[in-house]
Amino acid sequence: GRTLVVFKVHDILPGEMEFREWLRDNAGEILSRVGVGNSQSVVDYGCGPGIFSVAAARAVGQSGRGYALDVRARALERLNALAVQDGLTNLSTMLIDKSTVSVALDDGTADVVLLYDVLQEIADKDGLMRELHRILKPEGILSVFPMHLGTDRLLDLVNAGGLFQVRDRLGYAGFQSASEIVNLTKRAQGTG
């Protein structure tokens, strides 16, 4: 009479788990290196427990805005409680539908979109990249930690889509090369 739920476990690339833990413990520093700063608008797509959402809301200050998006209502409820506890009035949570990549934000809303340890969960990766391109400002940054996917597969996706170009790659001493953040900038549509 009980329901059993089975989840597919993604492949782990060398050093990914350690790097993910390091990212979690150094969220503020990471966002600073990505370029998150005062008065910006940051979208944390697939925010999970909100580690980077909270760090982003702090980094952008009261004149900035943070948006935490996830498919799990419970995660967003916990994040809302944490935001209230921390006095973060500039953080909004948004429940997204797992069956679509659509984001209920206007064109050019975000200075930075964080896509950390979530791309492997998205069936329509091309559609998501188009949607994130849409919500980013012209000079916006898409920051990706391609956990379970790897940088090579991410770069193949980026090159095939033609919407973004690599700004830089943030790797850290002591971690395998598969563990890095890839920061992308928007490419004007129609250019190669």
Side-chain angles (χ1 to χ4, degrees):
R2 300 176 94 185
T3 302
L4 177 64
V5 178
V6 177
F7 296 96
K8 178 184 183 284
V9 176
H10 295 281
D11 292 331
I12 307 282
L13 299 174
E16 281 187 330
M17 294 305 288
E18 295 86 357
F19 188 68
R20 183 176 74 172
E21 297 303 312
W22 186 88
L23 288 175
R24 183 201 66 210
D25 295 343
N26 296 281
E29 176 189 339
I30 299 305
L31 294 181
S32 176
R33 293 213 36 206
V34 167
V36 173
N38 196 41
S39 301
Q40 288 185 326
S41 175
V42 178
V43 173
D44 187 359
Y45 189 96
C47 67
I51 293 160
F52 287 94
S53 303
V54 168
R58 288 181 182 139
V60 301
Q62 286 304 312
S63 59
R65 192 91 202 135
Y67 299 93
L69 287 64
D70 206 280
V71 297
R72 294 166 297 177
R74 269 190 109 152
L76 297 176
E77 289 168 10
R78 287 191 295 269
L79 182 52
N80 278 326
L82 180 61
V84 168
Q85 176 185 333
D86 286 359
L88 297 172
T89 59
N90 63 341
L91 181 61
S92 300
T93 57
M94 299 173 69
L95 185 64
I96 51 178
D97 185 342
K98 193 174 187 169
S99 67
T100 180
V101 293
S102 180
V103 175
L105 291 171
D106 292 335
D107 294 359
T109 296
D111 293 289
V112 179
V113 173
L114 307 175
L115 192 60
Y116 291 173
D117 188 16
V118 71
L119 191 54
Q120 74 279 359
E121 300 290 337
I122 308 299
D124 183 7
K125 291 173 180 48
D126 293 327
L128 178 63
M129 297 303 265
R130 285 189 302 274
E131 184 68 355
L132 298 181
H133 187 272
R134 181 190 68 77
I135 67 169
L136 274 167
K137 293 180 180 176
E139 67 284 354
I141 299 166
L142 173 58
S143 184
V144 184
F145 171 37
M147 186 160 177
H148 306 294
L149 197 66
T151 301
D152 290 342
R153 285 186 57 202
L154 170 65
L155 295 177
D156 289 345
L157 175 67
V158 168
N159 291 332
L163 298 175
F164 294 96
Q165 59 195 12
V166 175
R167 182 191 80 176
D168 58 26
R169 294 162 64 165
L170 302 176
Y172 295 89
F175 295 104
Q176 301 289 332
S177 62
S179 300
E180 64 183 344
I181 291 174
V182 180
N183 293 309
L184 307 167
T185 55
K186 285 180 72 166
R187 187 177 274 167
Q189 285 190 324
T191 64

